[in-house]
Amino acid sequence: METSEIIKKVRKIEIKTRGLSSNIFAGQYHSAFKGRGMAFSEVREYQFGDDVRDIDWNVTARFHRPYVKVFEEERELTVMLLIDVSGSLDFGTQRQMKRDMVTEIAATLAFSAIQNNDKIGVVFFSDRIEKYIPPKKGRKHILYIIRELLDFHPESLRTDVRGALEFMTSVAKRRCTAFVLSDFYSKDDFQQPLTICNRKHDVVAIQVYDQRAKTLPDIGLMRVVDAETGHEQYIDTSSRRLRQAHTQYFLQRQAALKEAFNKSNVDHVSIATNEDYVKALMMLFKQRS
């Protein structure tokens, strides 16, 4: 993609997503993702009803009477976007490619974050960590992220969500909110690293899928290519049995995904490329606030 074309696209996405962030999500984002971490504030004398686990034993020993640590909620958040850049995202039969929708959602979340004075960082992943952008504040930083999203070329086309979650757990030392944006066509089971990552951080899963993953049209012989492996074959979509099996597979996969998110206690939302992602995000924010 040429530089001038990228700049035009970045500007277009900025205008759309910054407008959404300020007009629609302003209060919703803040209440749904307000600082969950607790920072040490001061010590004071122990009072009846205080949690004994908060006793500061060093200060208590010094003054010969019990003192407790007082914590207050950290208002500033660090937001991490874990963005799937594998080959399966380059697919779309409805309004847009999955990758385009992921880019818009990521940009919307990024602008929501800086309006809340939060830092934002990004992990691009396939079946490896393709690129890590450490958290920073500011519009310039976000425009750099969007530019990378638009013109990023991964080394691998396959997906491994597990590796991205393990990287996140090891690289982010302080508690943060992590949005995982993917279609979740992952080669490995990722429930255990998802649970571990969500214990340390606040993980939110955003699945983007194409409607054709759910239902096939009756259009006769169709050539299908696996974007991650390159395997191609012809299927007969006029077969009702095949179309039903295709839908059944999708529903079983969605049920397994939902179970994995629920078991890991992770908030999640699934959005089709022909749906309004604004409505889906609003519902997600509302559930959390």
Side-chain angles (χ1 to χ4, degrees):
M1 207 185 286
E2 286 183 22
T3 307
S4 58
E5 196 185 334
I6 291 170
I7 291 166
K8 258 192 233 169
K9 278 199 159 193
V10 168
R11 185 77 186 121
K12 194 177 172 185
I13 286 174
E14 183 192 6
I15 291 164
K16 179 177 179 180
T17 57
R18 192 163 65 165
L20 287 172
S21 298
S22 54
N23 300 331
I24 302 170
F25 297 138
Q28 292 273 2
Y29 169 91
H30 181 76
S31 57
F33 301 102
K34 57 182 177 286
R36 301 291 172 97
M38 303 301 281
F40 171 69
S41 175
E42 59 181 348
V43 291
R44 62 161 170 76
E45 276 198 62
Y46 177 86
Q47 294 169 4
F48 179 75
D50 285 339
D51 192 331
V52 293
R53 289 173 297 184
D54 292 335
I55 291 176
D56 187 319
W57 294 107
N58 291 331
V59 179
T60 296
R62 201 179 311 147
F63 292 101
H64 306 291
R65 55 182 183 273
Y67 275 79
V68 291
K69 293 176 182 176
V70 179
F71 296 86
E72 61 181 28
E73 192 175 55
E74 290 177 304
R75 300 310 303 167
E76 186 184 283
L77 263 182
T78 296
V79 175
M80 290 297 300
L81 302 176
L82 278 64
I83 299 174
D84 184 349
V85 290
S86 64
S88 62
L89 272 287
D90 289 319
F91 180 77
T93 60
Q94 305 287 308
R95 281 200 307 209
Q96 60 186 164
M97 294 274 200
K98 286 189 278 186
R99 190 177 305 284
D100 297 334
M101 182 175 266
V102 163
T103 300
E104 283 195 20
I105 293 171
T108 303
L109 292 169
F111 279 115
S112 296
I114 60 160
Q115 279 170 16
N116 203 44
N117 201 34
D118 298 332
K119 288 179 183 174
I120 187 135
V122 179
V123 176
F124 290 115
F125 72 92
S126 54
D127 63 349
R128 64 196 69 179
I129 302 305
E130 296 276 354
K131 184 165 187 158
Y132 170 55
I133 303 173
K136 275 171 72 177
K137 291 184 184 182
R139 176 177 173 269
K140 194 177 174 185
H141 180 62
I142 284 176
L143 295 182
Y144 165 62
I145 289 169
I146 297 169
R147 197 162 63 241
E148 285 294 300
L149 270 165
L150 287 169
D151 201 40
F152 191 81
H153 302 287
E155 286 182 26
S156 175
L157 295 175
R158 296 175 183 248
T159 316
D160 180 14
V161 176
R162 168 185 279 271
L165 291 164
E166 287 171 345
F167 177 79
M168 176 69 202
T169 302
S170 65
V171 81
K173 301 304 174 194
R174 287 183 62 190
R175 183 172 171 81
C176 64
T177 295
F179 293 94
V180 186
L181 288 87
S182 176
D183 55 11
F184 291 95
Y185 284 111
S186 186
K187 67 175 187 178
D188 288 314
D189 175 51
F190 54 83
Q191 192 192 308
Q192 189 188 16
L194 180 65
T195 305
I196 293 166
C197 191
N198 195 46
R199 280 185 196 140
K200 186 178 178 184
H201 304 291
D202 178 18
V203 181
V204 181
I206 300 176
Q207 182 200 22
V208 172
Y209 70 93
D210 188 89
Q211 191 60 26
R212 289 289 170 256
K214 187 177 181 181
T215 53
L216 281 174
D218 182 358
I219 55 170
L221 214 57
M222 179 194 281
R223 185 173 73 97
V224 291
V225 182
D226 186 318
E228 299 200 359
T229 64
H231 174 74
E232 64 175 82
Q233 67 180 96
Y234 284 88
I235 58 171
D236 184 7
T237 61
S238 62
S239 163
R240 192 175 163 201
R241 185 180 288 178
L242 182 137
R243 294 197 308 275
Q244 284 175 340
H246 178 82
T247 300
Q248 193 59 35
Y249 172 75
F250 173 83
L251 294 174
Q252 284 170 353
R253 198 177 156 275
Q254 288 300 101
L257 258 183
K258 190 177 179 182
E259 186 182 3
F261 294 142
N262 288 342
K263 277 185 177 175
S264 305
N265 205 24
V266 166
D267 290 328
H268 59 278
V269 65
S270 294
I271 313 168
T273 52
N274 61 333
E275 290 176 349
D276 182 358
Y277 70 82
V278 174
K279 274 187 188 170
L281 289 181
M282 288 287 277
M283 278 181 68
L284 175 70
F285 289 6
K286 215 174 248 184
Q287 282 167 12
R288 292 176 57 95
S289 53

